[in-house]
Amino acid sequence: MSIPDDLLIDLATMVESEQTNQMSLTVVVHGAVITGRLAPESVWRQRVAEVLQDSDQLAPFAEIFRASPQAGPARPAGEAPSHLHFHVARILQGTLGIPETGGMYRIAVKDVSAWTVGDFSYSDK
């Protein structure tokens, strides 16, 4: 989106302010369909850090994700979120969801060309 959708920004702002991860959302970004739940940036960063920390090879990178404040948004007060932070998210490709277990995605709001509330389920049948 060249001009980010104010309604989408309002949803992201509410997720950040309420520190909730229950908002299901599906977005289209550069032709890819991504579906999952939004998380506050601080929660998303902490989870990514935990995953990296558990890896022998990637553990040194965990600190980068812990560098932001753990409580509240990692941006100045009143500034709208510039990114959506998805967890348990999947890229939908035909009848497949990649990865099967869900992943952690950070998507620039300006890159979202379409969106809908809720997540799409998929089937391999």
Side-chain angles (χ1 to χ4, degrees):
M1 261 182 218
S2 57
I3 301 173
D5 185 323
D6 289 337
L7 190 54
L8 181 59
I9 291 171
D10 288 346
L11 286 173
T13 300
M14 188 170 206
V15 167
E16 289 290 339
S17 68
E18 305 220 351
Q19 294 293 296
T20 178
N21 61 1
Q22 299 304 308
M23 183 65 201
S24 294
L25 191 70
T26 299
V27 297
V28 177
V29 179
H30 301 294
V33 178
I34 300 171
T35 190
R37 288 189 311 200
L38 289 180
E41 182 176 357
S42 61
V43 172
W44 182 86
R45 284 177 172 263
Q46 181 60 35
R47 181 64 187 124
V48 171
E50 290 168 3
V51 170
L52 292 173
Q53 190 64 49
D54 290 342
S55 168
D56 292 335
Q57 296 171 326
L58 301 176
F61 294 100
E63 199 55 41
I64 294 170
F65 290 89
R66 288 192 185 105
S68 72
Q70 297 303 307
R75 74 189 57 73
E79 187 176 311
S82 60
H83 290 78
L84 303 172
H85 296 87
F86 282 86
H87 71 117
V88 290
R90 293 173 178 84
I91 299 171
L92 299 181
Q93 172 112 18
T95 59
L96 297 175
I98 306 165
E100 287 184 23
T101 58
M104 307 290 287
Y105 297 102
R106 176 178 161 103
I107 299 168
V109 172
K110 68 179 181 62
D111 291 337
V112 175
S113 60
W115 61 275
T116 187
V117 171
D119 57 354
F120 283 91
S121 55
Y122 57 91
S123 171
D124 58 358
K125 297 177 183 181

